[in-house]
Amino acid sequence: MDMVMKLGATSGVVIFTKSSCCISHSIETLIRSFGANPIIYELDTHPNGKQMEKALMELGCQPSVPAIFIGKELVGGANEIMSFNVRGKLKQLLIRANAIWV
């Protein structure tokens, strides 16, 4: 769990995904559309992917991907990101995390 939290704190936006997950790709595309450049960890290709996936599930991510950290905090998965976006709060989160500049 410590490894995932440390990786999640390395950038304004960090996304844990799987290369075959279309929802993960959609969330990445949405975040990039604001001008952010997230760090992406694909669990199915990463050497420690299984351990990271287990840690994400222990943190409450169900399903384990996508898992999104914004501003060094676990925001959640696709549902949470879409909810923030619909309410107009995703851009504010990205600005506060210094992931984008306006």
Side-chain angles (χ1 to χ4, degrees), residues 40-95:
I40 307 295
Y41 291 100
E42 289 188 345
L43 301 183
D44 55 341
T45 61
H46 194 280
N48 296 320
K50 295 261 187 226
Q51 293 170 305
M52 290 192 291
E53 184 171 14
K54 183 179 177 192
L56 289 167
M57 289 173 39
E58 288 173 5
L59 289 170
C61 296
Q62 297 291 335
S64 60
V65 295
I68 301 96
F69 283 76
I70 298 177
K72 301 180 182 180
E73 293 184 25
L74 177 61
V75 175
N79 289 341
E80 290 79 14
I81 293 298
M82 293 306 294
S83 177
F84 280 122
N85 189 48
V86 167
R87 292 182 293 152
K89 298 192 184 260
L90 181 55
K91 184 176 181 179
Q92 295 169 352
L93 276 176
L94 295 170
I95 291 170

Side-chain angles (χ1 to χ4, degrees), residues 19-56:
S19 60
S20 61
C21 179
C22 61
I23 298 298
S24 293
H25 177 72
S26 297
I27 294 300
E28 178 184 345
T29 301
L30 172 65
I31 289 173
R32 286 187 189 279
S33 75
F34 286 96
N37 189 22
I39 292 178
I40 307 295
Y41 291 100
E42 289 188 345
L43 301 183
D44 55 341
T45 61
H46 194 280
N48 296 320
K50 295 261 187 226
Q51 293 170 305
M52 290 192 291
E53 184 171 14
K54 183 179 177 192
L56 289 167

